């Protein structure tokens, strides 16, 4: 629905004196319309209400007759004019206009009312064309109008009004606030109590509660001087930076991973977090931090932390890398648009409170930001590239560099002397050398290929080699000529065009003969190299990233000619930082020089990318690693590829002439080697000779084993190694490096498939300014523009942010949006005044925060003065301090601080893993790290209550806290006092004291009575049923038993007995005696010995105390069950005499049909996960549970491993005389339904060691005894008996299930009862759940 | 004061900072537990709830709901068109489907026999054969399907639905994600179910239905009666605090909140206890199936019905991992290899339980007001990857809707003759959610939330309702 609505306007006043009728307009009327009305109509109404292409609600407002026809104006009567009603957002009949936009400013609405009152004079007599319309909503005009919004107005200093109340006449804040209160006839609240104040200021400044000692101290002397001292002390604590750095992390959406599939890490992300903490604690000025955030790597005078040896400034740009990334993206440009947009979004919002990223697809809908502005920012961002940055202080980056370089020259001389004396020896070694699989391009291949040929053959082969060599050279030249990309990094001019980062790269490529000293191992030299770019010529701890200009991928292949260790080469498509998923390969270099293909280059044809080399720890896609290096010589892309030329013997001067036979071949090598060493000494090697020399060195033909070096040379190498050892592995941080300057084409409607002309990088149109230089990304210029004196946003935004974090609400409530959709300031003059002072005071944050917390405004009590009634319900005028819930981290820190009394690791150090954000913190509104968050949500959801009521964090804290308080104080009163002091920084009121004592003494009603009664009843019934069943089957069984006994007797005659030396052995042949250790059983309840078995049906058997200690052990029991549906009974148990601690062979306690190693409270129990027991009703099964010394527990069934072994906790040891063995009862002192097994036990053994698998198998094979099984019994029954049995079994089954459920409920109750802990635990837990604890007030 | 949609966030913020008493009562009485308020619908609703059957990893449409006879004919031949970039860049030739094409139901809707039981419900299905996604990678495509944006930080459709409709049960969240032992979170992590910038109450709550605790912290750490005593004691302290500071409303709201949490401790276990369901019902779903994954999925389906019965607005189900092809816990349908075996096993897992869900809902008269959506994040290529797999295909794939005012027995849109790209009535994720919202009584263009300088929508600036598919 639009302005035109259902209600018809019948009352147009025709012929009204005004201009709607078409009368001639006065110049004043025309001026009024042109200045006040037309621009508004054009900007806010024409888009939907025009007579050319969109006439929403059948209304056009773009010329007079259309307005007339629309019947939306009653000339002279604004209150009756639908247009006015709609823009006032009044009434239900009209949709508020403009729709989907904030209400027009009051002054505009007044102008429209005035215009209607004038009779709506309208000079627009002609119906406009499309072009007319476009001209009328011309962007410049719109932008200028939008710049009238308060936030774009220059800062204005207003003298603070004097307050008549002396208390409020102190600082500027109080005077402005006081004036605001007076203007609204509000009275200010009194100063808060010292207890309240001390807690408030601690929580606000450090996020931690004060200790009782500090509270007592301040309560004793609550003077302003004492308060100021306390504030200064808090501002100086490391905890201050830890709290306030977290706000910055919110502003810059700090995260340690990129999200998406695999959630890959942002390498070294925590470096940025720690940098923030240090910077805030050191009170680094805000303008400096802005410069560092945007261009810390480019500052002429970076901020050096001498203590840590860090270039702090260089860490600032780390936030650029905290963008979300897709995984192995197929659409690289789309990905670039998305992550660059995120950078633009965060930078503009965090620093200026502007939503520049809203202008990606079109000019901003509400603010004076054009689409071109957006692409200016885009260009600045994309002119830098993701990188890992060496953030060591320059002195460390250059440590010993000169000295090592000089030393190397000495070493070079030393080696040349050493080697010149070794030439003959080297040639002898060549003669004796083995050369399998040597490439023809290897300088020594000539020897291998030619040495055994006759003269003719040799000459021919030599010719072949030369021809091949020349052909390779020629082919390569052709391929280069046709390449879509070729770079020769040996050429200084080419190298200059590349972008480099790190202390391992020099200003120019290195000449042939450059070499690296090996810093560990027996050999002294890593390699002697042809000309190229090398990162490790001083140390392979030095870091390096080298990348090309953008290149539009074209051709079937790309390759790089490189050598290196743990370093990577990549074709980086659209600056995508990751290499996950196969489409963005980053092959690792090998320590031999050669061409390495960059896979997937063809896949990326048509996309922009750049070639890049990086030492391993500097790759943006994976963190870590120590030493790494690379050498890069050439890069090729195209359809053909380049071959390795190498340095075959024929490439050396004079080879063709000199070599005729084996002797001359050898001589040629000798001569060439001598020349090469001399040339190397003189620094006059070419590439071929460098490779030639390296061939002798790398194979050890020219020895460089440390042990064999002349003393002086050895000392030099040792010294080199010592000095190099003093260089540290650099501290690294995520960051960016300068790349190709890239003016981004404007994308029509944000669609990258619709590129228009590039937009030159510059600052926002609203502030004007020069285009940025063509020689750097523009980050440095952007920082200066953001800090420009005529840009009022930056200082307003930061003082407002700081205010917000102190008072819980900014003077501008929308901390991240100062645009039209944001809020207007509650105290504009105060805001400006603070912003100006902040800027003039050197952008210092600590003094500013101090000023806030010192103010009288801050120190007010947190209750609303009764006299103010319900006026100013949101407390915009700050008549009192606004209480608020703490942020997630402060809640957790407070809980842990009271629990441990300090010294806890703070929540802000918990990893921020995008795909697994911390559950506790998230529950309390920890923001998803995706964009700037200047004021977190403070929602109220049940998940929070659940986390506090039932969560582990609080439970553990309550346990520690109550334990400590009980230890430290003797009486209930004193303990309650201490709890209150620690939790709330105050003593309990008399009522609270009484309530706490009552709570300590109270008891929860035991609701388990009825359950227990029911349990007893059902248990008795079950016993009776089992008895009935046993009696019914007894005669049948007896008959069958006789038959079985006979067969068993026959079988056992041949049995070989195996003695595994148990400490107890029960065979139940006629009695309950232990055949080994004298632990004869005593029968309890309905248990008996019958037919060679212990028959269990409501009874159990117990032994006297064990006569020895029992640690490692094995329980073996041969058991049959009846019925198999039973639950939770124990077959064989070792327990302390009272049954409180036990280890038992238990059936089906947790899961139906599963055997498990039962124990008290499942302390040593985990499911084995073995197969569901199906057979033990039909025949006995042998269950063996082995308890190892390390706590590992294994189960066996019939000699075979049952499920998986596991270790849950330590082995339970039982002392001599304190434990016993029990059969048929899981644990306890007497038969108890729910823990009992029904069935038969034929044998049992107890061992005081952990049996091996072989032993278990032996135990198994030792006895095979036939028994009477239920199948036999059933078969022998008459039909009526069988029916009776079925009915009985059904009853038993359902009763058993019911008892098991009751048992489960009772056990859960017992568990919960135990977890409820003692009275002090419960009190501490309750206080941690109280709202006062998680509020700052 | 009524709670206007657009200012709800501010309202919540203000409340927690303490404002007027008027807002308090609507907070407490408005079953605010999980962000529920009376829905202010734009038009009358056809559906009350949504069940999203999410097939993480990407179901091959050409083997299931968009059968292509030509694949068999041209098996082994090269694709006749230029191929877009694929995730694995190992494109083979056209690969015939191992499944048979048939016509099902009175409507004669064409499908393969990959899902025979779902196919038997053809007359209740509306298949969209021209779906497109913008991303070839799981996590981005998952986020895109759930939120309309490729990264975390934006509200999931379930959150939007809860924001728009509220929850009809004060003790349960409006948006529930079901997971079980072998069914976990798709690539991208739990933010797939996040509330983004919407109120926290709208965020998806994960119920792990085969563990000890369906919801984190739902089991009381102490005796219930002890906890009652604790809450009463804490309430006493809190009331004292509320009286002393100017945050009475917020403090008391949070006291009330603890009471709601206390009640939820019972509501959730009651919900996840299916012992009260009849044996026939359990058998229909197959909750005791020998196929362990199928049994788990069946439980999820049954739980979905129980949730919808209890007023939950949006339920999302998760598939169990079979570990075939490249399919893992996060993407079980991802058969880059062994497609026949993998899709066969996955189809067996979900086919019966889903058909049972549809039948059960229908039987109880609930299907009419429950909109069931079956979709993965993209489809799979008509050409092979390696010898017997298929790569991701976001350029054309299928989903289906059922119930909730959907006219069954029809298909919408089409891919090309090989099923590679959508060519007719090209459909988008925005259209899907526009349609879902429409059935719930919400105009997707009007369900907005002002954030970061924009009026945000689930459908961004796109989306059109599939008018032909719904009533």
């Amino acid at each position: 629905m639009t302005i035109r609505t259902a209600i018809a306007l019948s009352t147009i006043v025709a012929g009204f004196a005004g201009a709607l009728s078409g009368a001639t307009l006065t110049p004043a009327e025309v001026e009024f319309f042109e200045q006040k009305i037309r621009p508004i109509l054009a900007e806010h109404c024409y888009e939907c209400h025009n007579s050319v292409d969109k006439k929403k609600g059948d209304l056009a407002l773009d010329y007079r007759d259309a307005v007339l026809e629309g019947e939306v104006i009653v000339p002279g009567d604004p209150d009756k004019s639908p247009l006015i009603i709609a823009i006032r957002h009044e009434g239900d009949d009209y949709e508020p206009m403009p729709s989907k936009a904030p209400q027009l400013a009051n002054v505009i609405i007044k102008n429209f009312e005035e215009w209607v009152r004038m009779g709506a004079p309208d000079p627009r007599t002609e119906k406009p064309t499309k072009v007319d319309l476009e001209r009328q909503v011309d962007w410049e005009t719109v932008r200028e109008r939008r710049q009238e919004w308060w936030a774009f107005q220059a800062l204005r200093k207003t003298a603070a009004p004097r307050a008549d109340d002396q208390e409020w006449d102190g600082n500027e804040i109080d005077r402005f606030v006081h004036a605001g209160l007076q203007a609204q006839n509000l009275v200010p609240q009194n100063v808060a109590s010292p207890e309240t104040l001390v807690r408030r200021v601690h929580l606000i400044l450090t996020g931690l509660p004060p200790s009782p000692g500090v509270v007592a101290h301040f309560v004793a002397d609550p003077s302003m001087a004492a308060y100021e001292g306390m504030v200064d002390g808090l501002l100086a604590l490391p905890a201050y930076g830890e709290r306030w750095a977290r706000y910055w992390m919110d502003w810059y959406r700090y995260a340690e991973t990129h999200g998406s599939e695999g959630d890959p890490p942002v390498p070294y992300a925590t470096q940025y977090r720690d940098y923030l903490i240090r910077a805030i604690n050191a009170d680094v000025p805000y303008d400096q931090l802005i410069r560092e955030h945007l261009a810390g790597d480019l500052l002429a005078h970076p901020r050096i932390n001498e203590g840590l040896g860090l270039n702090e400034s260089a860490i600032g740009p780390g936030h650029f890398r905290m963008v979300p990334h897709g995984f192995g993206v197929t659409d690289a440009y789309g990905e670039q648009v998305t992550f660059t947009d995120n950078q633009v979004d965060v930078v503009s919002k965090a620093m200026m409170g502007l939503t520049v990223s809203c202008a990606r697809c079109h000019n901003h809908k509400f603010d004076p930001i054009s689409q071109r502005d957006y692409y200016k920012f885009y260009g600045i961002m994309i002119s830098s590239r993701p990188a890992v940055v060496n953030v060591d202080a320059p002195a460390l980056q250059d440590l010993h560099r000169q000295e090592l370089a000089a030393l190397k020259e000495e070493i070079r001389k030393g080696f040349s002397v050493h080697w010149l004396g070794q030439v003959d020896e080297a040639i002898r070694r060549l003669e004796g050398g083995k050369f399998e699989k040597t490439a023809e391009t290897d300088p020594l291949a000539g020897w291998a290929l030619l040495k055994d040929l006759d003269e003719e053959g040799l000459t021919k082969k030599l010719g072949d080699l030369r021809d091949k060599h020349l052909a390779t050279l020629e082919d390569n030249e052709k391929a280069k000529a046709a390449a879509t990309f070729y770079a020769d990094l040996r050429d200084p001019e080419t190298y200059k065009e590349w972008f480099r980062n790190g202390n391992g790269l020099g200003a120019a490529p290195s000449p042939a003969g450059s070499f690296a000293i090996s810093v560990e191992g027996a050999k002294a030299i890593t390699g002697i190299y042809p000309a190229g770019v090398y990162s490790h010529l001083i140390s392979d701890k030095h870091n390096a990233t080298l990348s090309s200009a953008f290149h539009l991928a074209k051709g079937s292949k790309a390759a790089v000619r490189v050598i290196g260790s743990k370093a990577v080469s990549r074709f980086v498509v659209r600056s995508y930082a990751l290499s996950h998923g196969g489409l963005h390969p980053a092959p690792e270099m090998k320590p031999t020089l050669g061409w390495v293909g960059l896979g997937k280059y063809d896949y990326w044809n048509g996309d922009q990318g750049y070639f890049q080399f990086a030492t391993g720890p500097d790759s943006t896609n994976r963190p870590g690693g120590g030493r790494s290096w690379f050498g890069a010589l050439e890069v090729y892309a195209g359809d053909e590829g380049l071959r390795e030329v190498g340095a075959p013997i024929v490439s050396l001067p004079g080879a063709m002439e000199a070599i005729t036979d084996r002797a001359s071949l050898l001589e040629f090598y000798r001569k060439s080697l001598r020349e090469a060493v001399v040339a190397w000494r003189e620094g006059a090697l070419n590439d071929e000779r460098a490779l030639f020399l390296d061939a002798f060195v790398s194979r050890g033909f020219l020895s460089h084993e440390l042990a064999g070096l002349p003393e002086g040379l050895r000392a030099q190498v040792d010294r080199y190694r010592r000095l190099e050892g003093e260089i540290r592995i650099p501290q690294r941080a995520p960051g960016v490096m300068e790349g190709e300057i890239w003016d981004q084409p404007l994308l029509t409607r944000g669609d990258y498939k619709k590129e228009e002309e590039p937009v030159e990088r510059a600052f926002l149109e609203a502030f004007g300014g020069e285009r940025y230089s063509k020689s750097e990304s523009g980050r440095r210029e952007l920082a200066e523009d953001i800090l420009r004196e005529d840009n009022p946003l930056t200082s307003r935004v930061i003082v407002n942010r700081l205010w917000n974090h102190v008072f819980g609400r900014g003077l501008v409530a929308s901390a991240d949006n100062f645009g039209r959709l944001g809020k207007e300031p509650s105290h504009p003059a105060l805001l400006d005044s603070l912003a100006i002072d902040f800027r003039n005071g050197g952008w210092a944050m600590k003094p500013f925060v101090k000023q806030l917390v010192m103010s009288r405004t801050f120190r007010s009590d947190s209750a609303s003065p009764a006299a103010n009634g319900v006026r100013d319900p949101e407390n915009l005028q700050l008549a009192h301090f606004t209480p608020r819930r703490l942020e997630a981290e402060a809640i957790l820190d407070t809980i842990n601080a009271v629990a441990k009394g300090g010294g806890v690791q703070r929540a802000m150090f918990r990893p921020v893993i995008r795909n697994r954000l911390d559950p506790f913190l998230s529950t309390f509104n920890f923001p998803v790290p995706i964009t700037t968050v200047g004021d977190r949500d403070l929602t109220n959801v049940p998940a929070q209550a659940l986390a506090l009521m039932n969560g582990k964090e609080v439970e553990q804290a309550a346990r520690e806290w109550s334990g400590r308080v009980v230890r430290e104080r003797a009486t209930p009163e004193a303990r309650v006092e201490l709890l209150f002091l620690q939790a709330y920084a105050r003593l309990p009121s008399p009522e609270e004291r009484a309530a706490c004592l009552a709570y300590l003494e109270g008891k929860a009603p035991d609701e388990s009575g009825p359950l227990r009664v029911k349990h007893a009843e059902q248990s008795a019934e079950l016993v009776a049923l089992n008895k009935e069943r046993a009696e019914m089957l007894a005669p049948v069984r007896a008959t069958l038993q006789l038959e079985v006994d006979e067969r068993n007797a026959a079988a056992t005659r041949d049995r070989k007995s195996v003695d595994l030396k148990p400490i107890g052995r029960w065979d139940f042949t006629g009695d309950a005696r232990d055949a080994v250790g004298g632990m004869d059983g005593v029968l309890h309840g309905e248990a008996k010995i019958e037919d060679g078995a212990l028959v269990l049906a409501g009874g159990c058997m117990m032994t006297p105390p064990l006569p020895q200690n029992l640690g490692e052990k094995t329980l073996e029991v041969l058991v049959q069950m009846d019925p198999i549906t039973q639950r939770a009974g124990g077959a064989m148990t070792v327990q302390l005499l009272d049954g409180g601690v036990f280890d038992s062979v238990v059936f089906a306690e947790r899961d139906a049909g599963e055997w498990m190693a039962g124990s008290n409270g499942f302390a040593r129990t985990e499911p084995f996960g073995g197969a569901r027991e199906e057979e033990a009703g039909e025949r006995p099964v042998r269950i063996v549970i082995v308890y190892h010394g390390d706590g590992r527990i294994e189960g066996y069934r019939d000699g075979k491993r049952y499920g998986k072994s596991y270790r849950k906790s330590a082995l339970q040891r039982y002392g001599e005389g304190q434990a016993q063995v029990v059969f048929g009862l899981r644990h306890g002192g007497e038969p108890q339904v729910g823990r009992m097994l029904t069935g038969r036990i034929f044998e049992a053994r107890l061992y005081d060691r952990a049996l091996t698998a072989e032993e278990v198998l032996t135990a198994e094979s030792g006895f095979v005894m036939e028994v009477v099984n239920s199948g036999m019994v059933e078969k022998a029954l008459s039909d009526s008996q069988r029916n009776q049995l079925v009915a009985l079994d059904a009853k038993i089954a359902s009763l058993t299930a019911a008892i098991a459920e009751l048992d489960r409920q009772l056990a859960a109750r017992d568990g919960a009862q135990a977890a409820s802990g003692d009275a002090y635990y419960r009190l501490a837990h309750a206080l941690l759940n109280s709202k006062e604890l998680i509020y700052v007030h | 004061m009524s709670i206007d949609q657009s200012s709800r966030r501010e309202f919540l913020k203000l409340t927690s900072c303490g404002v007027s008493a008027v807002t308090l009562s609507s907070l407490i009485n408005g079953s605010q537990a999980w962000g529920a308020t009376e829905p202010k619908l734009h038009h009358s609703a056809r559906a009350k709830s949504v069940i999203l059957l999410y097939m993480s990893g990407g179901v091959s449409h050409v083997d299931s709901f968009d059968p292509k006879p030509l694949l068999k004919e041209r098996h082994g031949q090269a694709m006749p068109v230029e191929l877009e970039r694929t995730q694995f860049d190992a494109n083979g030739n056209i690969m015939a489907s191992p499944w048979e094409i048939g016509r099902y139901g009175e409507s004669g809707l064409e499908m393969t026999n990959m899902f025979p039981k779902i196919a038997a419900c053809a007359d209740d299905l509306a298949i969209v054969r021209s779906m497109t996604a913008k991303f070839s990678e799981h996590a981005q495509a998952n986020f895109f399907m759930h939120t309309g944006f490729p990264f975390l930080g934006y509200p999931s459709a379930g959150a939007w639905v809860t924001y728009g409709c509220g929850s009809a049960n004060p003790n349960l969240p409006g948006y529930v994600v079901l997971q079980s032992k072998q069914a976990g979170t798709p690539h991208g992590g739990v933010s797939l179910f996040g509330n983004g910038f919407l109120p926290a109450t709208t965020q998806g709550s994960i119920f792990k239905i085969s563990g000890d605790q369906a919801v984190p912290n739902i089991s009381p750490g102490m005796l219930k009666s002890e906890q009652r005593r604790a809450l009463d004691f804490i309430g006493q302290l809190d009331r004292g605090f509320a009286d002393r500071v100017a945050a009475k409303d917020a403090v008391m709201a949070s006291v009330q909140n603890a009471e709601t949490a206390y009640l939820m401790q019972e509501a959730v276990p009651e919900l996840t206890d299916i012992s009260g369901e009849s044996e026939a019902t359990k058998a229909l779903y197959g909750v005791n199936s020998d196929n362990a994954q199928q049994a788990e999925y069946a439980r999820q389906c049954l739980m979905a019905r129980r949730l919808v019965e209890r007023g939950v607005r949006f339920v999302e189900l998760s598939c169990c991992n079979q570990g075939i092809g490249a399919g893992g816990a996060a993407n079980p349908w991802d058969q880059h290899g062994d497609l026949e075996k993998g899709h066969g096993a996955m189809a067996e897992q979900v086919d019966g339980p889903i058909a049972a869900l549809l039948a059960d809902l229908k039987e109880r008269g609930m299907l009419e007001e429950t909109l069931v959506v079956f979709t993965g994040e993209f489809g799979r290529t008509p050409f092979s990857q390696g010898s017997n797999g298929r790569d991701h295909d976001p350029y054309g794939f299928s989903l289906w809707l059922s119930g909730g005012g959907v006219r069954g027995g029809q298909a919408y849109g089409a891919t090309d003759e090989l099923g590679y790209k959508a060519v007719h009535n090209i459909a988008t994720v925005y259209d899907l959610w526009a349609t879902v919202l429409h059935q719930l009584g919400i105009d997707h263009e009007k369900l907005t939330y002002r954030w970061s300088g924009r009026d945000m929508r689930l459908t961004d600036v796109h989306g059109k309702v599939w008018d032909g598919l719904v009533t």
Side-chain angles (χ1 to χ4, degrees), chain A residues 140 155 289 436 710 796 1147 1242 1250:
Chain A
E140 302 271 315
L155 295 167
L289 288 178
E436 288 159 23
R796 279 197 190 114
F1147 184 68
F1242 294 93

Side-chain angles (χ1 to χ4, degrees), chain B residues 229-457:
Chain B
R229 212 166 71 84
L231 281 179
D232 293 342
F233 171 63
I234 297 163
Q236 198 179 340
L237 296 179
D238 289 345
R239 274 189 295 281
F241 177 61
D243 286 340
R244 290 197 305 276
V245 299
K248 183 163 190 152
D249 303 345
V251 172
M252 293 316 291
S254 142
V255 169
Q256 181 56 36
N257 202 28
E259 293 294 335
T260 307
Y262 180 76
L263 293 178
M264 275 173 47
Q265 290 176 160
E266 280 184 357
V268 173
E270 184 275 334
L271 169 87
T272 50
D273 178 9
I274 58 166
S275 58
E277 295 285 344
S278 75
E279 288 307 316
T281 300
K282 287 190 229 173
L284 174 71
Y285 282 88
V287 299
N288 293 319
S289 164
D290 288 339
N291 175 336
Q293 286 93 357
Q294 191 189 58
E296 264 186 48
Y297 198 77
R299 252 165 218 276
Q300 288 192 34
C301 285
L302 175 53
M303 205 61 69
R305 190 212 80 211
R306 293 172 65 86
L307 285 162
V308 167
E309 263 176 339
R310 285 161 179 73
V312 172
R313 291 291 176 193
F314 197 104
V315 185
E316 174 165 349
L317 278 65
S318 317
C319 289
C320 295
N321 178 26
Q322 308 262 172
I324 303 171
N331 51 337
W333 281 94
D334 199 23
Q335 274 81 51
H336 289 275
D338 262 344
L339 179 98
E340 182 175 2
K341 188 172 159 219
H343 267 44
M346 290 303 299
E348 186 180 325
Q349 176 193 133
V350 305
D351 186 35
I354 289 174
L357 174 64
L358 295 177
D360 193 22
L361 288 174
K362 204 167 185 178
E363 162 83 23
R364 288 164 198 261
M366 291 168 65
L367 188 59
E368 260 309 291
E369 51 190 40
T370 306
L371 179 54
V372 181
V373 181
F374 174 107
T375 188
E377 67 269 39
F378 37 54
R380 309 200 80 85
T381 54
F383 49 90
S384 72
Q385 176 184 345
S387 62
N388 58 3
R390 298 192 194 273
D391 207 333
H392 309 163
D393 184 355
Y395 307 102
F397 63 101
S398 303
L399 60 75
W400 57 255
L401 310 172
S402 184
V406 166
R407 283 210 299 257
Q410 59 165 335
Y412 172 84
T415 52
D416 56 45
E417 55 184 8
L418 290 167
Y420 184 35
K421 292 182 178 177
V423 288
H424 290 133
N425 286 333
I426 292 175
T428 66
V429 168
Y430 313 114
D431 302 339
L432 166 66
W433 296 125
T435 306
V436 168
L437 291 176
H438 181 264
Q439 295 309 92
L440 291 165
I442 296 170
D443 178 345
H444 70 102
E445 291 190 16
K446 288 188 187 157
L447 183 65
T448 63
Y449 193 94
R450 186 158 290 171
W451 178 74
S452 195
R454 281 179 63 193
D455 279 332
M456 305 301 292
R457 276 167 37 191

Side-chain angles (χ1 to χ4, degrees), chain A residues 260-261 325-330 335 338 349 355 358 583 600 603-605 607 821 823 862-863 874 880 915 930-931 935 937-942 946-947 949-951 986 995 999 1002 1004-1005 1309 1312-1313 1315-1316 1322-1323 1326-1327 1329-1332 1335, chain B residues 9-10 13-14 16-19 33 85-87 89 136-140 151-153 187-188 200-201 217 219-223 225-227 229-230 233-234 236-238 241 244-247 250-251 253-254 257-258 261 264-265 450-455:
Chain A
S260 210
E261 181 175 344
H325 268 310
F327 170 92
V329 296
T330 57
E335 168 77 11
T338 314
K349 277 206 284 216
T355 52
C358 288
L583 297 177
K600 302 295 173 198
Y603 184 94
W604 293 111
N605 270 214
D607 247 318
L821 289 187
K823 298 278 188 264
S862 47
E874 293 178 46
H880 58 89
N915 287 4
I930 180 79
T931 186
D935 51 340
D937 290 343
L938 292 172
T939 55
N940 176 25
V941 291
L946 289 172
M949 270 160 54
N950 300 336
R986 64 178 177 87
Y999 185 60
R1309 269 170 192 286
Q1313 182 82 62
S1316 296
R1322 289 196 293 272
L1323 178 58
L1327 297 186
N1329 268 270
S1330 69
K1331 308 305 166 282
E1332 185 170 351
Y1335 264 73
Chain B
R9 172 165 176 266
E10 304 223 284
K13 285 178 73 163
L14 294 180
S16 52
C17 295
V19 266
R85 287 166 177 163
T86 52
Q87 188 78 43
D89 192 26
S136 273
E137 174 243 321
H138 294 294
Q140 284 178 298
F151 296 113
L152 78 176
H187 279 306
T201 47
N217 301 320
S219 300
M222 53 176 72
L223 211 56
S225 52
E226 194 60 76
Q227 197 178 54
R229 212 166 71 84
F233 171 63
I234 297 163
Q236 198 179 340
L237 296 179
D238 289 345
F241 177 61
R244 290 197 305 276
V245 299
V251 172
S254 142
N257 202 28
M264 275 173 47
Q265 290 176 160
R450 186 158 290 171
W451 178 74
S452 195
R454 281 179 63 193
D455 279 332

